Amino acid sequence: GLAGSGAISVAGTSNFTTGGALSLVDAGNSFGGAVSISAGGNVALRSSTGLAVSDVVAGSKSSIGLSSGGWLTVGNLSGAAATLSAGPGAGMVLSGTLAASQQVSLSASGAISQVSGTLMTGSLDVNAAGDVLLSSAANSIGALGASTVGGSLALTTSTALAQTGALNVAGTSSFNTLGAIHLYQPGD
């Protein structure tokens, strides 16, 4: 595996490859360019500044945790579960194929936007102070877990959509699916 014992500061691009887990979570880390990771185990990456991740591949049964001190931009990502967090006052942009067979958790104090690509997961939960726009027709989201959206929510999935937790949306909600929609939780 690969683990950091202090802060890492890189002005350009960063490429990390390990057959085991990768853990670079020092609060002082700073990545100025795009980050690419290939790991055989879990991935945990933290940046004190904005973070742009072009590719993250973790083991098929492994989790991915990305934490940014500013905006978080995510390209391609593959693993069993993913927890993605943007920093204070910042949002998140998804622009590639994000595939996590079990769970995806997205958190931002701004908006979360899918500008291209595909989101594929068994379960999704979202917490954002702004709008959440996940509207690719190729998305495959099995269930929507406990989520809080301070703005509007637009969600598209090519599968049926179930609800597994309370959904609180301050603005309007729009759900597009090719299958059935089962949204009901007491307290919604």
Side-chain angles (χ1 to χ4, degrees):
L2 178 61
S5 61
I8 298 171
S9 181
V10 181
T13 60
S14 301
N15 297 300
F16 300 102
T17 302
T18 178
L22 179 134
S23 180
L24 300 174
V25 295
D26 190 281
N29 289 346
S30 176
F31 300 95
V35 177
S36 177
I37 299 169
S38 178
N42 294 335
V43 171
L45 182 68
R46 179 178 181 184
S47 179
S48 62
T49 58
L51 180 62
V53 178
S54 58
D55 293 287
V56 178
V57 177
S60 62
K61 297 181 181 180
S62 301
S63 64
I64 298 167
L66 302 177
S67 178
S68 172
W71 277 85
L72 178 60
T73 303
V74 180
N76 299 315
L77 185 145
S78 176
T83 301
L84 311 178
S85 302
M92 183 182 307
V93 175
L94 305 178
S95 63
T97 298
L98 197 161
S101 57
Q102 298 171 2
Q103 171 77 32
V104 171
S105 297
L106 306 176
S107 176
S109 57
I112 298 175
S113 297
Q114 182 181 35
V115 296
S116 63
T118 305
L119 174 58
M120 297 180 290
T121 187
S123 182
L124 170 70
D125 61 75
V126 179
N127 289 289
D131 294 336
V132 175
L133 306 171
L134 303 172
S135 54
S136 170
N139 287 345
S140 177
I141 302 164
L144 186 58
S147 297
T148 301
V149 178
S152 295
L153 172 64
L155 180 68
T156 299
T157 181
S158 61
T159 61
L161 181 64
Q163 182 180 9
T164 59
L167 179 61
N168 297 296
V169 180
T172 60
S173 297
S174 169
F175 300 96
N176 295 304
T177 178
L178 294 179
I181 299 175
H182 299 282
L183 298 179
Y184 173 76
Q185 285 286 318
D188 282 359

